[in-house]
Amino acid sequence: MQNKSPLNMLPIGLLELDASGTVLYFKPYRDGPYSCSAIDAEGRNLFTDFAPIAEALEFQERIRTFRRSPAPADSFHFTFGHAQSNLAVKVLLARIHEQSVLCSTESVLVHIKPLAASMAA
């Protein structure tokens, strides 16, 4: 992920996050100027390892608020900015519940996709 602008390092696509924000699974949205690879994203923390997400406190709080709420799904628009460039995205959130004999876990499915206007920029 070195030698890329911070907006190009955003994990645009489908992510599964654990309770701490670590990426358990990542499927890139598609090849293009935005998004890192699954190898670059999986095992890293969405909130601390990706710029400008690391500085986007509002983005982090929206996902944390969803995790604490009883809602099964949510969506919002967000604009990431760096230097003179911006990337507007739509974020869809959903819960994943896994139960086994030994324990029950919950993760959050996060789908981040660029809005049409951002793709043209």
Side-chain angles (χ1 to χ4, degrees), residues 2 9-10 14 48-49 55-56 65-66 71 91 115:
Q2 301 145 356
M9 293 178 3
L10 288 170
L14 188 64
T48 59
D49 294 337
E55 290 94 32
T65 298
F66 172 73
V91 181
L115 293 175

PDB file of all heavy atoms in Angstrom, residues 2 9-10 14 48-49 55-56 65-66 71 91 115:
ATOM      1  N   GLN A   2       2.146   1.130  -0.032  1.00  0.00           N
ATOM      2  CA  GLN A   2       2.987   2.299  -0.054  1.00  0.00           C
ATOM      3  C   GLN A   2       2.913   2.937  -1.435  1.00  0.00           C
ATOM      4  O   GLN A   2       2.534   2.321  -2.399  1.00  0.00           O
ATOM      5  CB  GLN A   2       4.422   1.913   0.266  1.00  0.00           C
ATOM      6  CG  GLN A   2       4.537   1.251   1.619  1.00  0.00           C
ATOM      7  CD  GLN A   2       5.601   0.179   1.604  1.00  0.00           C
ATOM      8  OE1 GLN A   2       6.153  -0.081   0.621  1.00  0.00           O
ATOM      9  NE2 GLN A   2       5.883  -0.452   2.684  1.00  0.00           N
ATOM     10  N   MET A   9      -5.957   4.302  -0.803  1.00  0.00           N
ATOM     11  CA  MET A   9      -5.773   3.230   0.162  1.00  0.00           C
ATOM     12  C   MET A   9      -7.070   2.855   0.867  1.00  0.00           C
ATOM     13  O   MET A   9      -7.090   1.925   1.664  1.00  0.00           O
ATOM     14  CB  MET A   9      -4.723   3.636   1.202  1.00  0.00           C
ATOM     15  CG  MET A   9      -3.348   3.761   0.600  1.00  0.00           C
ATOM     16  SD  MET A   9      -1.987   4.278   1.683  1.00  0.00           S
ATOM     17  CE  MET A   9      -2.641   4.450   3.280  1.00  0.00           C
ATOM     18  N   LEU A  10      -8.160   3.570   0.585  1.00  0.00           N
ATOM     19  CA  LEU A  10      -9.428   3.259   1.242  1.00  0.00           C
ATOM     20  C   LEU A  10      -9.906   1.875   0.834  1.00  0.00           C
ATOM     21  O   LEU A  10      -9.842   1.508  -0.329  1.00  0.00           O
ATOM     22  CB  LEU A  10     -10.497   4.277   0.854  1.00  0.00           C
ATOM     23  CG  LEU A  10     -10.346   5.657   1.449  1.00  0.00           C
ATOM     24  CD1 LEU A  10     -11.313   6.624   0.787  1.00  0.00           C
ATOM     25  CD2 LEU A  10     -10.576   5.613   2.935  1.00  0.00           C
ATOM     26  N   LEU A  14     -16.673  -4.585   0.058  1.00  0.00           N
ATOM     27  CA  LEU A  14     -17.407  -5.294   1.103  1.00  0.00           C
ATOM     28  C   LEU A  14     -16.431  -5.760   2.177  1.00  0.00           C
ATOM     29  O   LEU A  14     -15.463  -6.454   1.878  1.00  0.00           O
ATOM     30  CB  LEU A  14     -18.121  -6.488   0.484  1.00  0.00           C
ATOM     31  CG  LEU A  14     -19.089  -7.243   1.362  1.00  0.00           C
ATOM     32  CD1 LEU A  14     -20.267  -6.356   1.760  1.00  0.00           C
ATOM     33  CD2 LEU A  14     -19.605  -8.461   0.617  1.00  0.00           C
ATOM     34  N   THR A  48      -7.861   2.635  12.361  1.00  0.00           N
ATOM     35  CA  THR A  48      -6.527   3.167  12.682  1.00  0.00           C
ATOM     36  C   THR A  48      -5.502   2.976  11.573  1.00  0.00           C
ATOM     37  O   THR A  48      -4.509   3.690  11.543  1.00  0.00           O
ATOM     38  CB  THR A  48      -5.974   2.526  13.969  1.00  0.00           C
ATOM     39  OG1 THR A  48      -5.891   1.106  13.786  1.00  0.00           O
ATOM     40  CG2 THR A  48      -6.854   2.842  15.159  1.00  0.00           C
ATOM     41  N   ASP A  49      -5.713   2.032  10.670  1.00  0.00           N
ATOM     42  CA  ASP A  49      -4.689   1.716   9.679  1.00  0.00           C
ATOM     43  C   ASP A  49      -4.910   2.333   8.305  1.00  0.00           C
ATOM     44  O   ASP A  49      -4.035   2.238   7.449  1.00  0.00           O
ATOM     45  CB  ASP A  49      -4.567   0.196   9.507  1.00  0.00           C
ATOM     46  CG  ASP A  49      -4.042  -0.477  10.757  1.00  0.00           C
ATOM     47  OD1 ASP A  49      -3.384   0.204  11.569  1.00  0.00           O
ATOM     48  OD2 ASP A  49      -4.282  -1.677  10.924  1.00  0.00           O
ATOM     49  N   GLU A  55      -8.566   9.632  10.383  1.00  0.00           N
ATOM     50  CA  GLU A  55      -8.917  10.973  10.846  1.00  0.00           C
ATOM     51  C   GLU A  55     -10.419  11.229  10.792  1.00  0.00           C
ATOM     52  O   GLU A  55     -10.876  12.271  11.226  1.00  0.00           O
ATOM     53  CB  GLU A  55      -8.208  12.030   9.997  1.00  0.00           C
ATOM     54  CG  GLU A  55      -6.702  12.089  10.213  1.00  0.00           C
ATOM     55  CD  GLU A  55      -5.951  11.237   9.194  1.00  0.00           C
ATOM     56  OE1 GLU A  55      -6.419  11.119   8.060  1.00  0.00           O
ATOM     57  OE2 GLU A  55      -4.890  10.702   9.550  1.00  0.00           O
ATOM     58  N   ALA A  56     -11.198  10.330  10.252  1.00  0.00           N
ATOM     59  CA  ALA A  56     -12.634  10.546  10.052  1.00  0.00           C
ATOM     60  C   ALA A  56     -13.419  10.058  11.269  1.00  0.00           C
ATOM     61  O   ALA A  56     -14.019   8.992  11.266  1.00  0.00           O
ATOM     62  CB  ALA A  56     -13.096   9.849   8.776  1.00  0.00           C
ATOM     63  N   THR A  65     -21.851   3.492  16.589  1.00  0.00           N
ATOM     64  CA  THR A  65     -23.236   3.699  17.013  1.00  0.00           C
ATOM     65  C   THR A  65     -24.118   2.580  16.481  1.00  0.00           C
ATOM     66  O   THR A  65     -24.975   2.049  17.203  1.00  0.00           O
ATOM     67  CB  THR A  65     -23.753   5.070  16.540  1.00  0.00           C
ATOM     68  OG1 THR A  65     -22.952   6.091  17.146  1.00  0.00           O
ATOM     69  CG2 THR A  65     -25.210   5.280  16.904  1.00  0.00           C
ATOM     70  N   PHE A  66     -23.907   2.188  15.239  1.00  0.00           N
ATOM     71  CA  PHE A  66     -24.671   1.080  14.664  1.00  0.00           C
ATOM     72  C   PHE A  66     -24.426  -0.196  15.462  1.00  0.00           C
ATOM     73  O   PHE A  66     -25.342  -0.928  15.783  1.00  0.00           O
ATOM     74  CB  PHE A  66     -24.306   0.871  13.196  1.00  0.00           C
ATOM     75  CG  PHE A  66     -24.912  -0.371  12.615  1.00  0.00           C
ATOM     76  CD1 PHE A  66     -26.267  -0.425  12.326  1.00  0.00           C
ATOM     77  CD2 PHE A  66     -24.135  -1.488  12.376  1.00  0.00           C
ATOM     78  CE1 PHE A  66     -26.841  -1.576  11.806  1.00  0.00           C
ATOM     79  CE2 PHE A  66     -24.695  -2.645  11.855  1.00  0.00           C
ATOM     80  CZ  PHE A  66     -26.046  -2.687  11.575  1.00  0.00           C
ATOM     81  N   ALA A  71     -30.616  -1.992  15.665  1.00  0.00           N
ATOM     82  CA  ALA A  71     -31.024  -1.985  14.251  1.00  0.00           C
ATOM     83  C   ALA A  71     -30.309  -3.086  13.474  1.00  0.00           C
ATOM     84  O   ALA A  71     -29.112  -3.291  13.640  1.00  0.00           O
ATOM     85  CB  ALA A  71     -30.717  -0.638  13.617  1.00  0.00           C
ATOM     86  N   VAL A  91     -22.398   4.123   2.395  1.00  0.00           N
ATOM     87  CA  VAL A  91     -22.004   3.069   3.317  1.00  0.00           C
ATOM     88  C   VAL A  91     -23.261   2.328   3.758  1.00  0.00           C
ATOM     89  O   VAL A  91     -24.219   2.942   4.230  1.00  0.00           O
ATOM     90  CB  VAL A  91     -21.273   3.654   4.546  1.00  0.00           C
ATOM     91  CG1 VAL A  91     -20.846   2.553   5.494  1.00  0.00           C
ATOM     92  CG2 VAL A  91     -20.081   4.495   4.120  1.00  0.00           C
ATOM     93  N   LEU A 115     -19.998   6.998  -4.744  1.00  0.00           N
ATOM     94  CA  LEU A 115     -21.174   7.555  -5.405  1.00  0.00           C
ATOM     95  C   LEU A 115     -20.795   7.877  -6.845  1.00  0.00           C
ATOM     96  O   LEU A 115     -19.629   8.135  -7.152  1.00  0.00           O
ATOM     97  CB  LEU A 115     -21.648   8.814  -4.664  1.00  0.00           C
ATOM     98  CG  LEU A 115     -22.204   8.564  -3.269  1.00  0.00           C
ATOM     99  CD1 LEU A 115     -22.517   9.890  -2.574  1.00  0.00           C
ATOM    100  CD2 LEU A 115     -23.435   7.698  -3.312  1.00  0.00           C
TER     101      LEU A 115
END
